[in-house]
Amino acid sequence: MTGFEDLRQAIITKLNDKIADGTITHIGEAYWSPADIVKMPAAVVMPESLESSYQNTAGGRHRTFIFRVYVMKGVEGESETELEKLLSGAIDELIDLFDKEKALTVTDLLHIRPTPSVWDWVEYGGGEARIATLTLNCDIIVETT
């Protein structure tokens, strides 16, 4: 069954592949955890929640796996305007990437829907960081019979 682990790995792999080929230019690398961050700006993919509903009498379930992609950049030595431009560009690139049909190739995935979310300031590594989040809704049909 396709679940959080498969989808999360597919999202991280897709991001890092697109960073490597130059499609994404506003993010340095995508990670599983904030503890793994080596370079910034960084994208951390975290599971958020799961919604499930009865799909049909044949035993199917419609599941929506929800992830948050946190794009983070330390503010030390950065102009606030340049920081905002960088994060805006990163979120625009992510929306464009995941808005496409067949954005991810994962078994049972119907589609992925990116929706912009909250921006905030956070404490990170002894300093302050600006963070922009993007929500990714991954819709799956799971046969339960």
Side-chain angles (χ1 to χ4, degrees):
M1 177 196 89
T2 299
F4 277 116
E5 184 177 5
D6 294 336
L7 290 166
R8 190 177 190 184
Q9 185 60 61
I11 293 165
I12 291 169
T13 299
K14 178 80 166 195
L15 289 173
N16 284 328
D17 288 349
K18 293 302 178 180
I19 291 166
D21 77 10
T23 302
I24 294 178
T25 60
H26 292 86
I27 299 170
E29 193 168 350
Y31 302 95
W32 276 76
S33 164
D36 299 332
I37 294 174
V38 175
K39 62 180 170 178
M40 291 226 196
V44 178
V45 179
M46 304 290 285
E48 177 75 15
S49 64
L50 169 65
E51 299 170 6
S52 187
S53 63
Y54 179 77
Q55 181 65 23
N56 58 48
T57 56
R61 297 284 184 267
H62 174 228
R63 294 197 174 126
T64 302
F65 291 86
I66 302 169
F67 293 87
R68 292 278 175 115
V69 179
Y70 296 92
V71 180
M72 183 184 335
K73 176 74 170 105
V75 300
E76 187 174 329
E78 298 287 337
S79 127
E80 191 169 326
T81 299
E82 290 307 310
L83 186 62
E84 295 298 320
K85 287 179 180 179
L86 176 84
L87 292 180
S88 294
I91 293 297
D92 289 345
E93 288 176 336
L94 294 177
I95 291 170
D96 186 53
L97 178 67
F98 289 111
D99 248 352
K100 305 226 181 322
E101 186 177 349
K102 307 282 186 196
L104 284 181
T105 307
V106 177
T107 304
D108 300 323
L109 180 66
L110 296 175
H111 59 272
I112 185 167
R113 291 174 288 131
T115 57
S117 300
V118 179
W119 292 49
D120 204 356
W121 299 92
V122 296
E123 291 297 318
Y124 178 76
E128 190 174 33
R130 182 73 163 132
I131 192 166
T133 63
L134 179 77
T135 302
L136 295 175
N137 299 297
C138 302
D139 292 315
I140 304 269
I141 295 293
V142 177
E143 293 303 322
T144 57
T145 55

